[in-house]
C-alpha cells in the first residue's frame, strides 16, 4: 500500500504531559491528528475545503502500539500517511519517533466522511481523497476487534457531561476527550505507575453536546499475564464507544 507521506517535528511542553512527566495519550492523539490536518492543508484539502462539501472526517477506530511515551522537553517527529481507501472508508497510518529516530508509537486507523446535516457517513468524495495518493481497494485490512466487557465483571464507573469546549470544528467531541474519559476512570495511583503498551478503540456512535457519558472499566489479564483493561462508554444505556488497553509497570 502506498500514499503520500508527511512528517513534522513537535517540541513537547508542560501542557502536553501528565504527572509522570511524559506525554499523555490524549495529547499524543491530538498531535497525530494535527499532523494529518497539516498534511491536508499542504495538499489543498484542509478543513476549509472539506467544509465546502458539507462533510467532515471522522475516525471509526484506532489500533495503537506504544513502545514508550516521550518525555516532556524532548522533540518528537510525527509522521502520517493515508495508505488505502474504498468507497466508504479510508485507512491512515501514524508514527511518532524520538530525537534519535527510534519508533515510540505506531498507529493504524480508519476514517469516514460524515455529512454535517444528516450526521451520517457517505461515500468518499474523490476530490477530497485523491490528493493523498492512497491505493483504492475493495476491502481494507481489518483492524483488531475490541475485547468487550463481560456480564458480571466488576467495574469502575464515572460520568462526564459533554461541554461546549469539548467540541471541535466538525461539531462533535474531539478525539482526545474520548481517551480522557476512557482512562480517567482508572485510579490515579494506577495511571502513575503504569504505561499503556497497546490501545484499541472503536467508535460506534457520535457523542454529542449535552450528552451525559457513562464511562466504565474492568480489569482482566491478557494472554501473556499482562494487565489489561476493558472500557465502555454509554449514553442513556446505549454503547457509543469501546476499547481495550494493555499495560506495563513503570518506575515513578
Amino acid at each position: 500500500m502506498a500514499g503520500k507521506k508527511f512528517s513534522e517535528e513537535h517540541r513537547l511542553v508542560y501542557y502536553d504531559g501528565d504527572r509522570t512527566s511524559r506525554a499523555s495519550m490524549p495529547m499524543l492523539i491530538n498531535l497525530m491528528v494535527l499532523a494529518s490536518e497539516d498534511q491536508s492543508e499542504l495538499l489543498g484539502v484542509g478543513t476549509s475545503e472539506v467544509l465546502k462539501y458539507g462533510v467532515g472526517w471522522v475516525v471509526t477506530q484506532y489500533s495503537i502500539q506504544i513502545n514508550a511515551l516521550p518525555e516532556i522537553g524532548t522533540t518528537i517527529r510525527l509522521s502520517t500517511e493515508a495508505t488505502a481507501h474504498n468507497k466508504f472508508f479510508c485507512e491512515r497510518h501514524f508514527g511518532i519517533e524520538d530525537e534519535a529516530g527510534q519508533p515510540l508509537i505506531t498507529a493504524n486507523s480508519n476514517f469516514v466522511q460524515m455529512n454535517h446535516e444528516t450526521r451520517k457517513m457517505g461515500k468518499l468524495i474523490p476530490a477530497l481523497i485523491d490528493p493523498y495518493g492512497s491505493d483504492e481497494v475493495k476491502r481494507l485490512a481489518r483492524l483488531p476487534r475490541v475485547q468487550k466487557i463481560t456480564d458480571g465483571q466488576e467495574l469502575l464507573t464515572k460520568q462526564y457531561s459533554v461541554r461546549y469546549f469539548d467540541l471541535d470544528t466538525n461539531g462533535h467531541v474531539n478525539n482526545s476527550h474520548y481517551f480522557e474519559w476512557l482512562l480517567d476512570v482508572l485510579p490515579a495511583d494506577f495511571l502513575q505507575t503504569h504505561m499503556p503498551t497497546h490501545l484499541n478503540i472503536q467508535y460506534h456512535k457520535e457523542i454529542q453536546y449535552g450528552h451525559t457519558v457513562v464511562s466504565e472499566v474492568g480489569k482482566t489479564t491478557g494472554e501473556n499475564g499482562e494487565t489489561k483493561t476493558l472500557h465502555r462508554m454509554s449514553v442513556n444505556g446505549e454503547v457509543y464507544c469501546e476499547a481495550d488497553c494493555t499495560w506495563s509497570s513503570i518506575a515513578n
Side-chain angles (χ1 to χ4, degrees):
M1 293 184 179
K4 295 178 181 178
K5 297 181 179 180
F6 175 85
S7 66
E8 61 186 5
E9 291 187 347
H10 176 81
R11 183 175 68 88
L12 294 168
V13 295
Y14 73 96
Y15 52 75
D16 292 323
D18 56 24
R19 294 179 63 183
T20 68
S21 296
R22 298 176 177 86
S24 68
M25 278 307 304
M27 185 54 68
L28 290 171
I29 293 298
N30 272 335
L31 293 175
M32 289 192 297
V33 173
L34 174 62
S36 66
E37 290 282 343
D38 287 344
Q39 181 190 33
S40 298
E41 292 290 343
L42 185 66
L43 295 174
V45 283
T47 300
S48 60
E49 184 67 19
V50 173
L51 287 174
K52 293 178 183 178
Y53 291 84
V55 300
W57 287 106
V58 176
V59 65
T60 59
Q61 186 172 359
Y62 286 113
S63 179
I64 306 169
Q65 182 65 39
I66 304 137
N67 300 325
L69 293 174
E71 295 184 357
I72 299 306
T74 63
T75 297
I76 58 175
R77 176 164 290 277
L78 304 151
S79 62
T80 188
E81 176 186 7
T83 53
H85 69 276
N86 57 23
K87 290 183 179 180
F88 294 97
F89 291 89
C90 173
E91 178 186 81
R92 179 176 282 277
H93 292 178
F94 295 94
I96 299 178
E97 296 178 349
D98 65 13
E99 294 171 324
Q102 295 299 309
L104 300 175
I105 294 174
T106 56
N108 293 331
S109 64
N110 288 337
F111 282 78
V112 299
Q113 286 178 351
M114 182 187 70
N115 184 287
H116 283 305
E117 289 188 5
T118 65
R119 313 306 290 182
K120 294 181 179 180
M121 63 175 281
K123 289 184 178 181
L124 297 180
I125 299 171
L128 299 179
I129 192 68
D130 289 348
Y132 296 101
S134 61
D135 293 333
E136 185 173 2
V137 298
K138 289 184 177 181
R139 184 174 297 177
L140 297 181
R142 187 181 296 274
L143 295 179
R145 289 187 177 182
V146 172
Q147 185 175 345
K148 298 178 181 292
I149 290 174
T150 58
D151 292 338
Q153 190 170 2
E154 185 177 352
L155 303 176
L156 297 174
T157 303
K158 282 187 179 180
Q159 290 189 2
Y160 302 90
S161 296
V162 181
R163 308 163 302 174
Y164 173 81
F165 290 107
D166 294 328
L167 308 179
D168 60 19
T169 54
N170 286 328
H172 68 256
V173 174
N174 184 281
N175 283 332
S176 65
H177 294 306
Y178 285 84
F179 285 82
E180 291 173 359
W181 297 332
L182 286 169
L183 300 177
D184 181 65
V185 186
L186 292 163
D189 59 351
F190 178 86
L191 293 172
Q192 285 185 255
T193 55
H194 290 78
M195 183 194 81
T197 58
H198 188 268
L199 182 55
N200 191 22
I201 178 171
Q202 188 169 19
Y203 306 88
H204 302 304
K205 294 192 66 176
E206 178 191 9
I207 294 176
Q208 298 179 345
Y209 178 62
H211 281 168
T212 297
V213 179
V214 177
S215 182
E216 302 170 288
V217 62
K219 286 186 181 181
T220 187
T221 302
E223 294 180 358
N224 299 316
E226 69 275 19
T227 299
K228 195 168 188 178
T229 53
L230 310 181
H231 303 258
R232 179 172 65 202
M233 290 198 297
S234 305
V235 176
N236 295 325
E238 186 174 358
V239 177
Y240 274 53
C241 177
E242 292 177 289
D244 61 61
C245 187
T246 305
W247 300 82
S248 65
S249 298
I250 59 174
N252 288 325

